[in-house]
Amino acid sequence: MRLTLLGTSSGKTGCPALYATDRGTLVVQGKYVTDPEAIADLVDLRDDEFYVEVSADLFNLAPKPE
């Protein structure tokens, strides 16, 4: 899989950031969620999945569906 940086909402390069993949999906870069109560609220988390926190405005960088 290859990533293309779509942008960052931090005002500089780095976290949080949004990437497009060559598979037609998106990847987010964010801060680890460590709060046990927040982790307990996650549903159906699988062994190959993880969770990060990003600012909501990061998703303004996502391509709009056609």
Side-chain angles (χ1 to χ4, degrees):
M1 173 173 44
R2 299 302 312 229
L3 302 179
T4 301
L5 177 65
L6 296 175
T8 176
S9 64
S10 69
K12 22 185 163 156
T13 58
C15 180
L18 185 65
Y19 300 83
T21 74
D22 60 359
R23 301 188 319 192
T25 58
L26 299 171
V27 171
V28 295
Q29 173 186 346
K31 299 286 186 182
Y32 285 120
V33 174
T34 57
D35 182 315
E37 289 180 340
I39 294 168
D41 290 335
L42 295 168
V43 295
D44 298 327
L45 188 68
R46 305 230 160 63
D47 289 340
D48 64 343
E49 298 174 339
F50 204 77
Y51 35 88
V52 296
E53 181 178 17
V54 298
S55 57
D57 63 340
L58 180 69
F59 292 97
N60 293 329
L61 302 170
K64 306 298 182 239
E66 294 180 17

